[in-house]
Amino acid sequence: MIEKYEKIIGEDELYAIYKVAERLKDFSILHINSTKAGGGVAEILNRMVPLMKDLGLNVDWKVIRGEEDFFKVTKSFHNSLQNGVGVLPEKAFETYDKWQAINASEVPLDYDIIMIHDPQPLGLIDFKKKGKWIFRCHIDISNPYPPVWDFLKKRISKYNAMVISAPAFARDDVDIPQFLIPPSIDPLSVKNKPLKEITVRRILHKYGINDDKPLVVQVSRFDYAKDPVGAIKAFKEARKHLGKLQLAYVGSPASDDPEGQEVYEKTVKEAENDRDIYLLMLPPYSDLEINAFQTGASVVMQKSIKEGFGLTVSEAMWKGKVVIGGRTGGIPLQIIHGITGYLVNSIEGAAHYIIHTIKNADQANEIGERARIHVKNNFLITRHMTQYMETMLYVTERTMPEELRKSQA
Amino acid sequence: MNLDSKGKGIPFKFYAAYYPPTYTRIKANNIKELLEGISKVDKLSIFYHIFHPILSSHVVPEDLPNDFAFWLRDSLHDEDLAEIIADIQGGEPLTIEDIRQELIQLMAKGFTDRKGDYPFIFISCKPVIYPLGLEVTTLSEFLDAIGNVPARSIFYHFVYKRVIGESKTNELSNWLEENFGLIELGEKLSAIDPQTYTDEEKFRNDIVEMLEDELL
């Protein structure tokens, strides 16, 4: 299975992955999260755990359980960590602790290395039996609701290391090492594998896209943070200069977002029944369609004003596209301005780079090629997995080959 | 030169390394804070920002080969100081501590209170070293290896080991001098300043060309 990646990452990189894995082979490793399917963490683990096994590692993946009361609490934790405001259910902390104890009695914790994903199972550290523990935080915790943060921080301090996705999400009040490991895309997945032109054309045709006009694409939920209204305004401004241009805003319903409908209505209003603007609401798991829109785009926008890591940026860059992204969250790690894409802070900036990209095809191709290489080097699942293994080597003090350790001693 | 000679019989073992980044909890919004940060971060952080951009995984503009220079231009819009910091010396026999001192001196000249568009975040790293399973004993084998090993292996032996203070000169020169007495060639290699590169393959090519000129 891991060999399938060789044609993408090359023989040397694959060899390095084997060598890094080799030093972990005598450890038992456990990943723990809170869901087997749905969401980015489960998606990554579903692919990464078999790859790690394929490398010869003794690795397991367990999912904690809980009832409605527990998941209401963890949902409230999640929201309060991301937006700094807390609306917690009654006795939230007691409920959280109760389910940690229940899971600790059911999940075997006698592994050499345990990687805990996100706050839901974070408290299992209170029941640590042995080994080294790593807390992998996938969410932005830079502006948390203090009571929740203080509650979790006490547990984080018991870990050997923490992993965050970007420097922007780091914490200054955590003393354990904070490794910076971005999330990743899988180049062999339906969303990212190369598509035949006919498939791209067929899907764009299905949604009424005109193949005579350059196409601007933004793939995002209808969410204020993604600035759909700003994306439309930038598109309209660019069209004034280019004449022919169309926009596809490829969204999905945000069922857990009370503002979703309101944002959608405002976006529709801004679109004003413009025949060059396509506001699409794709069902979950529309990976093939998303791939087709990104592949068929002339330029991709991610005009966010607040963002998590923003992996849709890497998805489009992997397809060799110029991406115009807001300077927020993890986007500046992916887009190096003028080298692997363009970073903008305004509608005018976004419009400018839409025009520039469409009028300068050669330069766009060069940026697209550099973007693809940047993703290959930094944002593929193989790199992600290697960095997890590197963190495991760090906590187990095995960062050096034994012969070098001996010679230095 | 007999390329199949084994010299004194000392083998050269190839290793490579990854440099997984870690957060240092130090940020700078202006030159004053950047100077404070440079003064107090660990040496691996200076190494990461000055030398790691040679590797293809670390992208900076071609004309600004280190992170400090890039931030000075992109965030602080101080083109002049960015150019000065871009050309900071990184060759032998300088260590990270020498480079830290030079950075401090050069930046003190461009002292302003102006705030950058975004902060400079100091990153450090925890190197993870792995063997390539390749050991050479002759110059022929050495030449082939330099042309074929991953660039991050050359970077490890030529840059990391020397600037971090684990080796006085780069390990390629060390071996050529110790095992074959090739002092002049070793010194020529030592004159290559890795800080000027933003492309690992150009860096490798310059080393290969120098070896070829002298040995073939």
Side-chain angles (χ1 to χ4, degrees):
Chain A
M1 189 176 182
I2 185 81
E3 273 80 14
K4 285 186 182 169
Y5 292 85
E6 184 176 345
K7 64 178 188 294
I8 296 168
I9 62 173
E11 190 185 345
D12 289 342
E13 204 60 29
L14 186 62
Y15 177 84
I17 291 172
Y18 273 111
K19 295 310 283 187
V20 169
E22 205 171 84
R23 259 179 276 161
L24 290 167
K25 276 186 179 168
D26 56 337
F27 291 132
S28 54
I29 300 168
L30 177 64
H31 289 279
I32 303 179
N33 80 321
S34 64
T35 172
K36 197 77 187 168
V41 179
E43 196 179 318
I44 294 262
L45 288 174
N46 263 311
R47 290 186 168 268
M48 195 183 284
V49 170
L51 287 177
M52 288 178 128
K53 283 181 192 267
D54 206 29
L55 288 167
L57 298 187
N58 174 11
V59 58
D60 287 325
W61 171 19
K62 305 281 183 198
V63 175
I64 57 163
R65 70 177 187 91
E67 289 173 6
E68 200 184 347
D69 60 339
F70 175 60
F71 288 111
K72 268 189 182 167
V73 168
T74 56
K75 180 73 184 165
S76 73
F77 279 13
H78 182 92
N79 291 338
S80 70
L81 288 169
Q82 300 233 79
N83 59 25
V85 181
V87 184
L88 306 182
E90 205 177 323
K91 295 191 173 174
F93 297 137
E94 288 86 343
T95 304
Y96 181 87
D97 281 340
K98 177 186 83 181
W99 280 102
Q100 301 302 308
I102 292 170
N103 278 292
S105 68
E106 296 174 358
V107 177
L109 298 176
D110 51 347
Y111 283 73
D112 298 317
I113 301 167
I114 294 184
M115 185 174 266
I116 296 286
H117 294 263
D118 277 343
Q120 295 93 334
L122 172 70
L124 289 175
I125 188 83
D126 289 340
F127 305 90
K128 176 177 173 176
K129 290 177 179 162
K130 61 177 269 200
K132 305 291 183 183
W133 287 53
I134 300 164
F135 174 47
R136 197 324 171 199
C137 188
H138 295 266
I139 61 175
D140 178 358
I141 47 167
S142 57
N143 177 34
Y145 176 55
V148 171
W149 174 244
D150 289 343
F151 176 77
L152 297 177
K153 195 174 77 174
K154 283 181 198 142
R155 280 130 185 111
I156 291 173
S157 66
K158 298 178 185 174
Y159 281 75
N160 297 96
M162 170 171 162
V163 176
I164 47 175
S165 295
F169 306 160
R171 294 292 313 174
D172 289 346
D173 57 353
V174 168
D175 290 329
I176 58 172
Q178 296 178 64
F179 283 82
L180 301 166
I181 304 182
S184 59
I185 64 167
D186 186 339
L188 302 181
S189 66
V190 172
K191 204 193 270 184
N192 297 302
K193 69 179 186 186
L195 293 184
K196 297 287 183 197
E197 274 184 40
I198 182 63
T199 305
V200 175
R201 284 204 296 272
R202 191 261 302 163
I203 290 170
L204 296 188
H205 176 78
K206 175 181 163 188
Y207 289 95
I209 306 295
N210 182 338
D211 59 9
D212 288 336
K213 293 179 182 176
L215 174 64
V216 182
V217 169
Q218 174 155 327
V219 177
S220 291
R221 289 196 317 271
F222 288 93
D223 181 329
Y224 283 120
K226 314 295 179 186
D227 197 15
V229 170
I232 291 174
K233 286 184 172 165
F235 158 76
K236 287 180 179 172
E237 188 58 34
R239 187 176 54 183
K240 285 182 197 166
H241 296 264
L242 294 166
K244 287 199 307 187
L245 194 64
Q246 55 192 336
L247 169 71
Y249 192 102
V250 183
S252 55
S255 53
D256 59 348
D257 180 3
E259 288 178 342
Q261 187 60 29
E262 179 185 307
V263 178
Y264 181 69
E265 284 165 14
K266 284 188 178 172
T267 311
V268 169
K269 195 174 169 203
E270 183 63 38
E272 301 170 308
N273 288 322
D274 189 320
R275 299 180 81 175
D276 287 328
I277 299 176
Y278 301 83
L279 299 181
L280 306 177
M281 191 74 94
L282 299 185
Y285 307 109
S286 299
D287 289 357
L288 181 66
E289 286 76 8
I290 288 169
N291 188 342
F293 273 97
Q294 289 169 332
T295 305
S298 313
V299 58
V300 171
M301 250 196 304
Q302 187 64 43
K303 216 212 131 315
S304 305
I305 46 180
K306 182 161 171 54
E307 188 56 83
F309 191 78
L311 260 186
T312 50
V313 170
S314 276
E315 288 167 12
M317 288 168 67
W318 177 242
K319 293 159 185 108
K321 301 298 164 182
V322 172
V323 183
I324 299 164
R327 191 189 285 279
T328 178
I331 295 177
L333 291 183
Q334 300 166 82
I335 299 177
I336 315 298
H337 183 68
I339 302 174
T340 64
Y342 296 110
L343 288 172
V344 295
N345 299 309
S346 66
I347 289 166
E348 293 77 13
H352 170 73
Y353 286 112
I354 292 172
I355 299 164
H356 181 74
T357 301
I358 289 175
K359 283 196 165 177
N360 296 279
D362 289 348
Q363 198 181 350
N365 287 338
E366 282 172 23
I367 287 182
E369 183 53 29
R370 286 198 294 264
R372 185 175 165 80
I373 292 169
H374 187 47
V375 172
K376 187 183 102 171
N377 287 331
N378 293 290
F379 305 115
L380 295 187
I381 190 168
T382 40
R383 183 81 195 108
H384 192 174
M385 178 179 65
T386 310
Q387 287 188 295
Y388 278 178
M389 294 193 295
E390 288 163 1
T391 309
M392 292 173 187
L393 287 176
Y394 170 78
V395 296
T396 54
E397 298 176 9
R398 288 198 181 178
T399 55
M400 260 193 228
E402 205 173 338
E403 72 251 32
L404 285 185
R405 255 185 309 172
K406 277 181 186 163
S407 69
Q408 285 201 353
Chain B
M1 189 78 214
N2 177 6
L3 296 183
D4 294 324
S5 157
K6 292 187 177 177
K8 291 181 185 166
I10 307 166
F12 189 97
K13 276 188 178 179
F14 282 89
Y15 294 87
Y18 286 108
Y19 306 90
T22 54
Y23 179 61
T24 63
R25 301 190 287 170
I26 299 170
K27 294 175 199 159
N29 288 294
N30 54 35
I31 299 260
K32 180 172 175 278
E33 291 172 5
L34 191 66
L35 274 167
E36 286 168 3
I38 289 170
S39 305
K40 66 183 175 191
V41 287
D42 62 39
K43 63 183 178 181
L44 283 166
S45 177
I46 303 283
F47 158 78
Y48 187 85
H49 292 300
I50 292 285
F51 292 103
H52 196 261
I54 296 176
L55 297 176
S56 58
S57 56
H58 192 141
V59 178
V60 288
E62 280 182 18
D63 60 328
L64 299 176
N66 65 65
D67 288 340
F68 297 118
F70 180 44
W71 183 80
L72 288 166
R73 182 166 82 185
D74 195 52
S75 177
L76 208 64
H77 308 291
D78 190 334
E79 189 80 34
D80 294 341
L81 190 56
E83 286 166 2
I84 291 169
I85 298 301
D87 293 335
I88 189 170
Q89 296 287 317
E92 293 180 21
L94 299 172
T95 64
I96 288 296
E97 293 311 322
D98 299 321
I99 293 163
R100 188 199 301 268
Q101 289 313 313
E102 197 189 349
L103 280 169
I104 291 168
Q105 282 170 16
L106 291 172
M107 282 195 197
K109 289 179 190 166
F111 196 90
T112 66
D113 288 334
R114 197 164 66 240
K115 201 175 162 188
D117 295 344
Y118 57 89
F120 185 92
I121 299 178
F122 284 91
I123 304 295
S124 187
C125 60
K126 310 281 187 199
V128 171
I129 300 153
Y130 61 94
L132 292 191
L134 175 65
E135 187 174 300
V136 299
T137 53
T138 68
L139 289 169
S140 299
E141 292 167 347
F142 183 70
L143 276 172
D144 289 350
I146 296 295
N148 285 292
V149 293
R152 61 173 59 249
S153 174
I154 299 176
F155 177 79
Y156 171 75
H157 290 291
F158 196 93
V159 184
Y160 174 76
K161 294 280 280 181
R162 190 263 303 176
V163 299
I164 222 69
E166 291 182 12
S167 166
K168 278 198 169 174
T169 56
N170 75 80
E171 292 194 326
L172 309 188
S173 295
N174 271 353
W175 186 69
L176 291 167
E177 291 174 11
E178 273 185 36
N179 197 41
F180 298 100
L182 293 167
I183 308 289
E184 203 179 319
L185 175 56
E187 285 174 355
K188 280 188 178 171
L189 281 177
S190 292
I192 293 176
D193 182 353
Q195 201 285 133
T196 54
Y197 292 87
T198 55
D199 182 328
E200 60 191 31
E201 288 306 324
K202 281 185 191 159
F203 175 57
R204 179 211 301 272
N205 286 344
D206 283 358
I207 291 173
V208 168
E209 269 180 30
M210 196 170 278
L211 291 171
E212 202 177 325
D213 285 350
E214 294 294 319
L215 296 175
L216 300 186

